[in-house]
Amino acid sequence: MKQIIAMGGGGFSMEPDNPLLDRYILKQAISKQPKICFIPTASGDADGYITKFYTFFEKQICVPSHLSLFKPHVKDIEAFLLSQDILYVGGGNTKNLLVLWKEWGLDQVMKKAWEQGIVLAGISAGAICWFEEGVTDSFGDELHALDCLGFLPGSSCPHFDGEDKRRSAYHDLIDSGHMQPGIALDDGAAVHYVDDSMKVVVSSRKEAYAYKVERLQVDEERLETIYLGNEKENT
């Protein structure tokens, strides 16, 4: 079973006092004490980002680690990543992430991991990278379409409610034909794919949602979203 969990925003870096999305990710692994590796390439392997990861996950029932490309500490990267249960990709500059992954061969390693059933997860840049296309600010202040890995069909836009220009930019890109239709994600919302199909949308906040955005003069459909804070959803 191939799994990808894409978060528009949230998690340990944006909602340090709200563990719902990160704990949801941990629950998707087969292991009762999953090995979870943080990949902060998009942030330039920022030390503070890595520290935040360990601050949260060292308190959970898991075995946390990270992979740095700027300060390599693993000799056989492929073997290291394929030994994990979860690969968690951080936010930042998606263009830089994709360029560096291709240079290091991580794009192919990620595909192997996905096909072998390792859970792939990520936030912002670490969410849109799995789709065919994503909305990114990697090139500066303006938002652009970016070709991504293509594991998942269509396009994706993170921070749909968290940044003023995201919604209008995504609409314009789709309506103009510069981007395929796809999925938009509020901060705090995550879409969980099994194989190539959407399984469920979950959220860490009651008001966070995902949306299916189509072309025809931009038709936006809010998807059914399960709030993870409901006790009945956590039993």
Side-chain angles (χ1 to χ4, degrees):
M1 181 173 66
K2 299 182 293 186
Q3 297 188 77
I4 293 178
I5 302 167
M7 298 184 290
F12 69 89
S13 61
M14 292 183 66
E15 297 179 330
D17 297 322
N18 186 342
L20 294 175
L21 287 177
D22 290 329
R23 287 178 178 169
Y24 178 83
I25 291 170
L26 288 173
K27 288 179 182 178
Q28 307 317 308
I30 296 174
S31 173
K32 292 183 178 179
Q33 189 173 11
K35 292 182 289 183
I36 180 169
C37 179
F38 181 47
I39 305 174
T41 312
S43 70
D45 292 343
D47 291 337
Y49 204 3
I50 296 169
T51 297
K52 287 182 179 180
F53 168 78
Y54 282 109
T55 297
F56 176 79
F57 282 97
E58 283 180 343
K59 298 175 183 177
Q60 310 304 310
I61 302 174
C62 65
V63 181
S65 63
H66 76 281
L67 175 71
S68 174
L69 297 182
F70 290 84
K71 298 178 183 178
H73 59 282
V74 176
K75 185 175 182 180
D76 190 336
I77 291 177
E78 179 171 342
F80 174 67
L81 292 181
L82 296 182
S83 72
Q84 305 295 317
D85 298 298
I86 302 169
L87 301 179
Y88 192 140
V89 182
N93 189 301
T94 316
K95 176 68 172 179
N96 288 346
L97 175 151
L98 293 169
V99 169
L100 284 167
W101 279 11
K102 184 175 182 180
E103 181 67 24
W104 284 81
L106 257 68
D107 53 345
Q108 296 303 312
V109 174
M110 290 296 182
K111 189 171 185 180
K112 286 184 181 180
W114 181 52
E115 291 173 343
Q116 292 179 19
I118 295 171
V119 178
L120 304 183
I123 177 176
S124 190
I128 66 173
C129 67
W130 313 117
F131 292 83
E132 290 179 297
E133 297 177 311
V135 177
T136 182
D137 58 3
S138 296
F139 302 95
D141 293 335
E142 297 298 320
L143 294 166
H144 298 273
L146 178 69
D147 290 337
C148 298
L149 294 174
F151 296 1
L152 297 175
S155 66
S156 183
C157 178
H159 310 303
F160 204 51
D161 69 337
E163 297 178 9
D164 291 339
K165 296 181 180 179
R166 289 280 174 169
R167 180 177 250 108
S168 60
Y170 195 36
H171 286 182
D172 290 345
L173 287 166
I174 290 176
D175 198 38
S176 65
H178 287 95
M179 175 170 272
Q180 299 178 64
I183 301 296
L185 292 161
D186 287 344
D187 288 342
V191 58
H192 184 176
Y193 284 83
V194 174
D195 296 326
D196 297 328
S197 301
M198 186 187 304
K199 175 185 176 182
V200 68
V201 178
V202 297
S203 72
S204 59
R205 296 184 290 110
K206 288 183 178 179
E207 67 275 17
Y209 301 98
Y211 303 82
K212 183 179 180 182
V213 185
E214 300 285 357
R215 180 159 293 145
L216 301 169
Q217 295 185 341
V218 187
D219 177 34
E220 182 180 297
E221 175 190 353
R222 192 171 81 182
L223 300 173
E224 180 180 355
T225 303
I226 298 174
Y227 170 54
L228 294 171
N230 290 336
E231 184 178 353
K232 64 181 180 179
E233 301 297 347
N234 286 316
T235 56

